[in-house]
């Protein structure tokens, strides 16, 4: 379980997080939504330890993450886009990661995301979509208990996006704690169980999608969210 | 006319015959099986004009005084071992020759200054082809005239300057010829005090603690074709006049206060065709006037020529300055010496009219060497980027370097 | 486990065009210098000047550029279960070792032509020490500034200061205060600058030491003594350690 309590973070004068609270449980896909600059990335990076909050706590399975790094064995992360070193071969990156992480690997992934085709290629030779396939595979590779996926389908080809969605579903069934960020309401509707909507560094809406749909009776999720924001 | 010349001839002939007969010119042999077992016995028995022939072997004798006009000749290099009991040979008469010996282990005594061979107030002596080993002073000439010290090999065991003697020590002498000797391991290789009209040629003076050759108050002398290597300093010429210095090599006199050649209060000298190679300072010129330095090679010295401001009217002509860290350094704000026609490897000028002379003058003093002269601590910046920068700036905008310290006609090619 | 990142960084850089060019350039210079100056001491002194000019400059600028260019990959690595110390150490060592290999390779032609001598050994040690020191400084200026241009700018300023301005200040001090006994102060000052330290230590191993003794006997006395060598080595080590640990402190608190 991930517990985020009253998280604050300022970059200079801009407040990126202003008292964010969030609890994510196993077997649940939580979708972080919100406009650009609302604090989604900062929140995700805080969980990963890339951003060090000014105040507030993040607890994973009853342990505070401050200063540690071992907890990241539990996490699989897919960034929005990474500029991997041009001369690095895909297989070399996998080898480095396998030395950093001791968990078992899910070798099926390699073929599912068609990584074996590009194993010997250098990142400099890969297209953006191909790199994202590698990032996706890395996120799932070590059978993590927690998945943090930043715009997971954004620059994937449709086929890989489908594989990705299937992987998310399967991981959820296996009891994985999944956080995704997304701009696409339809995608969230399709994949997530719950929406956490951020504005100005706070989570302003935190509801289960089922609840929202049941409550409003409205089929279009986006419209419901917009209405909720207006009433707030 | 012819009768007069005939008379002179017969007189000379008669005189020569007479002196030959009266000297009776004997050879006295010294060896274990000979008539004389010791050199002292032979000296006692000898008379003017005799030759004492000493055969090879070791003779444990000391303070051998020669009071007669004789030749003391070693055959097969006999060894006189003074066993640190006194001096070797002391010559008190004129026309004495000592040759062919090996003289060892002379006592150290700071009052009597004993020597391997000492000559006192005598003329026409010849000290030739001897070897000296651990003789406090090797050859000591006091008040001698027209003496020759030739082809001796002199090796001392000097450890400190104050406790050691000089290889060839000359005091109050004139018309000497000191040639072809090899001297090492003494305080000064050759030392001259109140010596005049003498020649010091073709000697090799090395590994002496203080100077290879040292002049004090000695006028009208010449030294040529000598090599001074790895001494405390090569040559020091002090308080003297009219010295000719030609074709010598001053090499590897590297040390914290080492010079190739130190000229201190020398008036009127000629320094021509010498080589200064790898000395901390090639020449250190202090209070010296009217010296002509012509056609010398200054190669790879720390300072080629350090000319202090109290030196006047010196001429530095047609020399080669190659690979020295500093070519000229001076503490003077203006130069009283003439520099012309020298080849400077650091010269960056051009020769458009191809007359062999650079078209723009050369200033051989670098800004850093000026700073160094005024603030010796700045040596800590030696070979740093800032020094190169300062020198480059000074080249472009000369402001500190003495205006008059300039070679108006730098040679464009190396001088031969 | 940190070794895998280090190995990757090191070999990746070793194959990089820049490091290869750098090594070849140094090798050509040392070949030229050794070939054209007939004696070993002079080769060492000329090489020393070049090394003390080029190595700090290259390490500072290339070190900064490399750090910024690796930024995204460093960020990626930090999402994995490794500590920031580990990643930083791997980046630092990978780069310094690669640059050191290039520097040593650059000296090899001179060593082949002149043989293994005391001054060649010293030159090698100084080259490696300079690489470690100035790469550390590059990383420090890059961790202080999140903006690439400012970081590289600070690196250039650092180089200008240590290579030129610092010495200019010393020269001015010596000139302005020449009536005062400055020796000890100058010894302390020069120990504060690794470029000066490297230069003086090598000078004392060559013929030039006589020139040092000629006018500044106390310098030779100090830097030539065991105490002097211990103090200088210690100062060099501090020059490696202090920027490294300052940089790591900032790096650990950095937000990506």
């Amino acid at each position: 379980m991930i517990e985020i309590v009253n998280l604050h973070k300022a970059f200079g004068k801009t407040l990126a997080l202003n008292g964010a609270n969030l609890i994510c449980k196993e077997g649940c896909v939580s979708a972080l939504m919100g406009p650009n600059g609302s604090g989604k990335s900062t929140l995700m990076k805080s969980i990963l330890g890339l951003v060090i909050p000014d105040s507030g706590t993040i607890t994973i399975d009853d342990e505070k993450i401050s200063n540690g790094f071992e907890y990241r064995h539990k996490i699989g992360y897919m960034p929005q886009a990474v500029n991997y070193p041009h001369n690095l071969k895909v297989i070399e990156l996998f080898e480095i990661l396998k030395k950093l992480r001791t968990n078992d690997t899910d070798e099926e992934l390699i073929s599912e995301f068609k990584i074996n085709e590009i194993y010997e290629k250098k990142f400099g030779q890969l297209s953006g979509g191909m790199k994202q396939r590698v990032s996706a595979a890395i996120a799932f590779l070590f059978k993590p208990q927690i998945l943090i996926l930043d715009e997971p389908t954004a620059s994937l080809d449709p086929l890989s996006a489908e594989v990705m969605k299937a992987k998310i579903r399967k991981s959820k069934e296996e009891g994985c704690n999944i956080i995704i960020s997304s701009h696409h309401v339809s995608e969230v509707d399709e994949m997530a169980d719950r929406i956490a909507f951020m504005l100005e560094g706070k989570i302003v809406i935190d509801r289960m999608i089922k609840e929202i749909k049941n409550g409003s009776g409205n089929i279009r999720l986006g419209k419901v969210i917009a209405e909720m924001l207006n009433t707030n | 006319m012819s009768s007069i010349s005939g008379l002179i001839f017969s007189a000379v002939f008669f005189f020569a015959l007479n002196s030959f007969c009266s000297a009776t010119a004997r050879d006295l042999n010294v060896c274990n099986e000979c008539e004389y077992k010791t050199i002292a016995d032979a000296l006692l028995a000898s008379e003017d004009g005799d030759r004492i022939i000493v055969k090879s072997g070791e003779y444990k004798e000391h303070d051998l005084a020669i009071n007669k006009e004789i030749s003391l000749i070693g055959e097969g290099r006999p060894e006189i071992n003074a066993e640190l009991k006194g001096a070797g040979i002391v010559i008190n008469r004129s026309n004495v020759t000592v040759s062919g010996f090996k003289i060892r282990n002379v006592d150290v005594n700071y009052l009597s200054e004993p020597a391997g061979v000492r000559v006192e107030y005598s003329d026409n002596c010849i000290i030739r082809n001897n070897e000296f080993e651990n003789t406090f002073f090797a050859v000591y000439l006091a008040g001698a005239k027209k003496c020759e010290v030739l082809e001796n090999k002199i090796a001392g065991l000097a450890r400190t300057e104050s406790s050691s003697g000089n290889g060839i020590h000359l005091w109050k002498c004139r018309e000497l010829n000191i040639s072809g000797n090899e001297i090492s391991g003494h305080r000064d290789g050759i030392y001259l005090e109140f010596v005049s009209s003498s020649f010091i040629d073709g000697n090799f003076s090395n590994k002496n603690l203080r100077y290879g050759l040292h002049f004090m108050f000695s006028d009208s002398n010449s030294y040529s074709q000598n090599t001074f290597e790895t001494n405390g300093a090569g040559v020091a010429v002090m308080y003297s006049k009219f010295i000719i210095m030609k074709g010598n090599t001053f090499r590897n006199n590297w040390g914290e206060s080492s010079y190739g050649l130190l000229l201190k209060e020398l008036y009127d000298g000629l320094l021509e065709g010498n080589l200064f190679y790898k000395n901390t300072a090639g020449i250190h010129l202090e209070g010296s006037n009217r010296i002509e330095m012509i056609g010398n090679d200054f190669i790879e010295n720390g300072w080629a020529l350090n000319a202090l401001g109290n030196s006047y009217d010196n001429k530095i002509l047609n020399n080669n300055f190659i690979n020295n860290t500093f070519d000229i350094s001076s503490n003077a704000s203006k130069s009283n010496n003439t520099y012309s026609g020298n080849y400077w490897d650091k010269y960056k000028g051009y020769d458009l009219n191809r007359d062999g002379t650079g078209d723009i003058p050369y200033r051989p003093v670098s800004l850093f060497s000026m700073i160094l002269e005024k603030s010796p601590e700045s040596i800590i910046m030696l070979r740093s980027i800032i020094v190169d920068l300062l020198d480059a700036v000074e080249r472009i905008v000369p402001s500190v370097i003495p205006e008059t310290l300039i070679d108006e006609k730098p040679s464009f090619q190396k001088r031969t | 486990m940190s070794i895998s990142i280090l190995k990757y960084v090191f070999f990746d850089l070793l194959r990089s065009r820049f490091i290869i060019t750098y090594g070849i350039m140094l090798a050509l210079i040392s070949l030229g210098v050794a070939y054209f100056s007939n004696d070993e001491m002079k080769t060492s002194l000329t090489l020393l000047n070049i090394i003390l000019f080029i190595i700090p400059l290259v390490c500072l600028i290339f070190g900064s550029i490399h750090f910024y260019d690796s930024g995204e990959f460093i960020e990626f690595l930090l999402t994995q279960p490794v500590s920031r110390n580990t990643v930083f150490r791997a980046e630092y060592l990978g780069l310094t070792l690669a640059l050191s290999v290039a520097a040593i390779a650059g000296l090899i032609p001179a060593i082949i032509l002149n043989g293994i001598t005391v001054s060649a050994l010293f030159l090698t040690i100084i080259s490696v020490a300079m690489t470690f020191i100035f790469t550390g400084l590059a990383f420090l200026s890059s961790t202080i500034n999140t903006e690439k241009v400012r970081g590289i700018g600070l690196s250039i300023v650092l180089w200008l200061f240590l290579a030129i301005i610092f010495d200019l200040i010393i020269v001015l001090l010596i000139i302005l205060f020449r009536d005062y006994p400055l020796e000890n102060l100058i010894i302390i000052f020069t120990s504060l600058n690794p470029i000066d330290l490297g230069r003086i230590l090598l000078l004392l191993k060559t013929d030039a030491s006589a020139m040092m003794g000629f006018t500044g006997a106390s310098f030779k006395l100090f830097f030539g003594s065991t105490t002097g060598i211990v103090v200088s080595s210690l100062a060099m080590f501090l020059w490696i350690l202090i920027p490294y640990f300052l940089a790591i402190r900032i790096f650990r608190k950095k937000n990506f």
Side-chain angles (χ1 to χ4, degrees):
Chain A
M1 191 170 75
I2 304 170
E3 272 185 275
I4 296 164
V5 180
N6 201 20
L7 216 56
H8 284 81
K9 180 69 192 177
F11 293 110
K13 283 178 183 169
T14 45
L15 274 174
L17 293 176
N18 188 17
N21 292 288
L22 187 70
I23 293 174
C24 300
K25 289 182 178 161
E26 286 75 26
C28 176
V29 180
S30 311
L32 278 181
M33 296 193 78
N36 283 333
S38 60
K40 298 187 304 269
S41 285
T42 309
L43 188 66
M44 285 182 148
K45 284 181 169 184
S46 300
I47 300 170
L48 288 159
L50 290 174
V51 167
I52 296 158
D54 299 332
S55 66
T57 54
I58 299 172
T59 319
I60 293 177
D61 298 341
D62 300 326
E63 271 181 71
K64 280 190 187 173
I65 64 159
S66 50
N67 300 325
F69 63 90
E70 294 289 342
Y71 76 92
R72 289 200 286 267
H73 277 290
K74 297 175 185 167
I75 300 178
Y77 170 59
M78 179 181 171
Q80 217 176 83
V82 190
N83 215 349
Y84 295 102
H86 288 240
N87 281 325
L88 185 64
K89 284 182 185 168
V90 175
I91 190 164
E92 289 171 330
L93 180 64
F94 277 69
E95 277 162 10
I96 293 172
L97 291 173
K98 280 175 187 170
K99 279 182 185 142
L100 295 177
R101 306 184 73 139
T102 42
N103 319 35
D104 305 338
T105 52
D106 180 358
E107 294 295 332
E108 281 176 30
L109 267 173
I110 308 293
S111 52
E112 284 177 88
F113 281 107
K114 299 204 183 85
I115 302 298
N116 37 2
E117 295 169 9
I118 52 171
Y119 243 164
E120 289 297 331
K121 288 226 165 94
K122 291 178 175 180
F123 280 101
Q125 300 167 295
L126 300 186
S127 69
M130 286 167 161
K131 285 186 209 167
Q132 275 312 93
R133 258 156 59 195
V134 174
S135 294
I138 289 169
F140 290 95
L141 186 63
F142 297 95
K143 301 178 183 169
Q145 294 159 246
I146 299 167
L147 272 166
I148 297 175
L149 310 169
D150 198 352
E151 300 278 353
T153 57
S155 44
L156 280 180
D157 57 285
L159 217 64
S160 303
E162 283 314 309
V163 176
M164 164 67 80
K165 286 172 190 166
K167 286 306 288 186
I168 293 174
R169 246 172 265 129
K170 195 176 164 223
S171 302
K172 177 189 149 188
E173 279 158 24
E174 285 165 1
C176 200
N177 188 345
I178 304 169
I179 300 173
I180 62 173
S181 77
S182 183
H183 284 296
H184 302 286
V185 182
S186 61
E187 198 178 78
V188 170
D189 195 8
E190 189 182 351
M191 289 189 290
D193 300 313
R194 165 204 191 192
I195 288 175
F197 199 93
M198 294 190 76
L199 265 183
E200 291 164 357
K202 272 185 220 167
I203 290 164
V204 290
I205 300 170
D206 184 0
R207 300 279 292 279
M208 299 302 284
I209 291 176
K210 266 184 200 160
E211 269 179 52
I212 300 170
K213 283 183 176 170
N214 289 345
S216 69
N218 198 326
I219 305 155
R220 284 192 56 214
L221 190 60
K223 209 168 181 184
V224 184
I225 294 168
E227 279 168 12
M228 288 169 83
L229 285 170
N230 282 333
T231 53
N232 270 8
Chain B
M1 208 47 185
S2 67
S3 67
I4 294 170
S5 63
L7 191 67
I8 291 170
F9 176 76
S10 53
V12 167
F13 181 74
F14 178 76
F15 180 76
L17 194 68
N18 190 38
S19 66
F20 182 71
C21 292
S22 72
T24 61
R26 293 178 304 159
D27 277 3
L28 280 63
N29 292 319
V30 182
C31 67
N32 262 340
E33 297 78 28
C34 302
E35 185 183 353
Y36 300 100
K37 306 287 187 242
T38 67
I39 302 167
D41 287 350
L43 282 172
L44 210 63
S46 67
E47 288 173 24
D48 286 358
D50 285 352
R51 300 200 312 166
I52 297 176
I53 312 290
V54 182
K55 311 282 185 190
S56 71
E58 190 185 21
Y59 299 86
K60 293 186 173 170
E61 298 181 64
H62 55 88
D63 295 299
L64 295 163
I66 303 180
N67 307 312
K68 293 153 189 161
E69 292 187 7
I70 56 157
S71 297
L72 184 62
I73 295 161
E75 275 185 10
R77 196 150 312 276
E79 189 177 307
I80 298 175
N81 188 346
E83 299 181 288
L84 302 175
K85 288 174 182 165
I89 296 165
V90 182
I91 298 169
N92 296 307
R93 264 301 276 282
S94 295
N95 305 319
V96 170
T97 297
V98 174
S99 72
F101 287 92
K102 177 169 191 173
I103 302 174
R104 298 176 58 202
N105 301 333
V106 165
D107 181 28
V108 174
N109 186 319
Y110 303 115
L111 284 177
S112 60
E113 300 192 333
V117 174
R118 186 186 184 94
V119 179
E120 299 223 313
Y121 300 96
S122 309
D123 303 341
N124 299 320
C125 58
I126 299 171
I127 298 156
R128 175 181 220 139
N129 184 28
N130 299 289
E131 291 178 15
F132 295 84
E133 200 180 289
N134 191 25
T135 50
F136 183 38
F137 286 76
V139 178
Y140 195 125
L141 270 56
K145 205 170 78 184
K146 294 185 178 167
C147 274
E148 299 191 324
V149 179
L150 310 171
E151 294 146 29
N152 299 287
K153 284 196 172 68
I154 300 172
L157 304 169
R159 288 202 183 80
T160 64
E161 269 186 31
S162 56
S163 70
S164 51
N166 300 318
I168 299 176
H169 185 95
L170 311 169
W171 183 74
K172 281 202 174 173
C173 299
R174 56 196 188 92
E175 294 169 64
L176 302 177
N177 179 8
I178 314 292
S179 297
N181 302 287
E182 264 183 57
I183 310 138
S184 67
H186 285 79
R187 180 171 52 191
D188 290 341
I190 303 170
Y191 176 81
L192 296 84
E193 190 172 343
F194 305 114
V195 173
S196 61
S197 312
S198 294
F199 291 90
I200 294 153
D201 297 333
N203 300 287
F204 178 52
S205 186
N206 74 110
K207 298 191 185 90
N208 296 293
L209 293 184
R210 198 168 63 182
Y211 301 118
L213 170 63
H214 189 182
F215 289 82
M216 292 292 276
F217 313 105
S218 294
D219 302 339
S220 308
N221 296 296
S222 157
Y223 66 94
S224 306
Q225 311 297 337
N226 302 284
T227 298
F228 305 100
E229 191 175 308
T230 331
N231 299 292
V235 175
V237 183
M238 298 169 157
Y239 313 107
S240 301
K241 295 170 194 163
F242 304 108
I243 305 290
I244 292 170
M245 306 163 260
K246 282 188 176 177
N248 300 289
T249 300
F250 303 79
R251 190 160 55 195
N252 289 331
N253 297 296
W254 264 113
E256 283 163 30
S257 55
S258 231
Y259 311 98
L261 172 59
L262 168 66
L263 300 178
K264 185 170 181 172
E265 302 203 17
L266 167 65
Y267 300 134
D268 302 287
L270 173 65
L271 186 74
E272 191 175 344
N274 299 283
L275 168 66
F276 296 87
Y277 178 71
K278 282 205 172 189
N279 305 286
T280 312
I283 299 179
H284 184 84
L285 195 64
E286 195 178 328
S288 295
N289 305 336
R290 296 184 301 280
I291 295 159
E292 295 190 355
M293 303 183 189
I294 301 168
N296 301 287
D297 289 332
F298 296 88
I299 299 171
E300 293 185 23
N301 301 286
W303 288 264
L305 170 60
N306 187 18
L308 298 194
N310 53 3
S311 298
Y312 296 91
D313 300 328
N314 299 292
K315 294 191 172 110
I316 294 94
L317 313 173
N318 304 350
N319 301 285
N320 288 313
F321 291 87
I322 296 163
N323 282 337
N324 303 294
T325 308
F326 302 104
D327 285 333
I328 308 291
S329 79
S330 176
N331 61 351
S333 50
K334 70 183 234 199
S335 167
N336 310 299
N337 303 309
T338 309
Y339 297 83
S340 183
N342 299 289
Y343 170 75
W344 313 91
D345 66 340
K346 297 182 185 70
Y347 180 58
K348 299 266 184 336
Y350 42 83
D351 179 20
L352 292 182
N353 56 3
R354 296 183 181 241
D355 61 352
T357 299
D359 296 347
I360 51 172
Y362 178 68
R363 297 161 184 277
V365 177
S366 70
L367 179 56
F368 182 52
S369 83
M370 288 291 294
I371 293 172
L372 194 53
E373 204 56 52
K374 297 218 162 78
S375 321
E377 296 93 352
S378 53
I379 191 74
I380 197 94
M381 287 296 124
L382 186 64
R383 291 193 161 268
S384 68
I385 297 168
I386 189 68
V387 165
D388 297 337
L389 277 179
L390 284 178
D391 285 347
V393 169
E394 177 65 28
R395 289 266 141 82
I396 301 163
V397 215
S399 57
V400 186
I401 293 172
E403 280 294 314
T404 46
L405 211 171
I406 197 165
D407 189 337
E408 296 281 0
K409 293 176 180 170
S411 171
F412 208 68
Q413 261 111 36
K414 206 176 143 184
R415 292 276 175 175
T416 48
Chain C
M1 54 155 224
S2 98
I3 215 86
S4 62
I5 305 176
L6 168 59
K7 250 169 67 184
Y8 157 68
V9 175
F10 174 69
F11 284 111
D12 181 50
L13 280 165
L14 219 52
R15 294 180 299 199
S16 75
R17 207 180 302 149
F18 182 84
I19 295 280
I20 292 170
T21 314
Y22 174 57
I24 290 174
M25 181 194 71
L26 287 176
L28 286 177
I29 290 171
S30 85
L31 182 71
V33 170
Y35 186 78
F36 286 110
S37 71
N38 37 12
D39 96 78
E40 184 266 323
M41 286 286 181
K42 252 176 57 195
T43 306
S44 298
L45 284 174
T46 313
L47 280 180
L48 176 75
N49 278 13
I50 294 167
I51 278 170
L52 290 180
F53 188 87
I54 290 179
I55 290 184
L57 188 64
V58 166
C59 289
L60 274 168
I61 293 176
F62 183 69
S64 298
I65 291 174
H66 172 78
F67 192 84
Y68 288 113
D69 285 354
S70 309
E72 280 196 52
F73 189 55
I74 290 174
E75 184 179 331
F76 171 78
L77 285 174
L78 288 176
T79 64
Q80 303 299 318
V82 280
S83 69
R84 289 193 176 193
N85 282 2
T86 304
V87 172
F88 189 86
R89 194 191 315 132
E91 285 288 336
Y92 174 76
L93 283 179
L95 178 57
T96 45
L97 291 178
L99 285 166
S100 299
V101 166
I104 292 169
L107 287 174
I108 282 176
I111 292 171
I112 288 172
L113 282 177
N114 286 316
I116 300 167
T117 57
V118 178
S119 53
L121 207 67
F122 244 74
L123 215 53
T124 313
I125 293 171
I126 288 171
S127 303
V128 173
M130 289 299 141
T131 303
F132 272 74
I133 291 168
F134 285 94
T135 309
L137 285 170
F139 275 29
L140 180 59
S141 73
S142 311
T143 45
I144 289 172
N145 294 291
T146 30
E147 256 177 75
K148 184 174 179 175
V149 179
R150 292 179 68 168
I152 294 170
L154 179 61
S155 286
I156 293 172
V157 169
L158 270 173
W159 179 80
L160 275 175
F161 181 75
L162 289 171
I164 296 169
I165 297 169
F166 190 92
D167 288 359
L168 185 66
I169 292 171
I170 293 186
V171 170
L172 287 176
L173 273 181
I174 291 173
I175 294 172
L176 291 175
F177 298 101
R178 65 161 168 268
D179 299 329
Y180 300 89
L182 276 180
E183 271 101 343
N184 291 332
L185 201 69
I186 292 166
I187 287 172
I188 294 168
F189 255 69
T190 43
S191 303
L192 293 177
N193 185 339
I195 297 180
D196 284 334
L197 265 181
R199 180 173 53 77
I200 293 165
L201 287 182
L202 188 91
L203 275 187
L204 288 179
K205 293 279 163 265
T206 67
D207 283 358
S209 71
M211 297 183 68
M212 193 81 94
F214 202 76
T215 68
S218 60
F219 299 141
K220 197 186 170 187
L221 222 60
F222 175 76
F223 286 111
S225 71
T226 319
T227 327
I229 287 170
V230 169
V231 169
S232 317
S233 314
L234 205 71
M236 288 271 206
F237 262 108
L238 287 178
W239 266 107
I240 295 172
L241 295 180
I242 292 173
Y244 174 81
F245 281 109
L246 281 178
I248 224 171
R249 255 177 75 104
I250 299 168
F251 183 75
R252 285 173 60 168
K253 290 179 184 155
K254 189 176 154 72
N255 296 299
F256 287 88

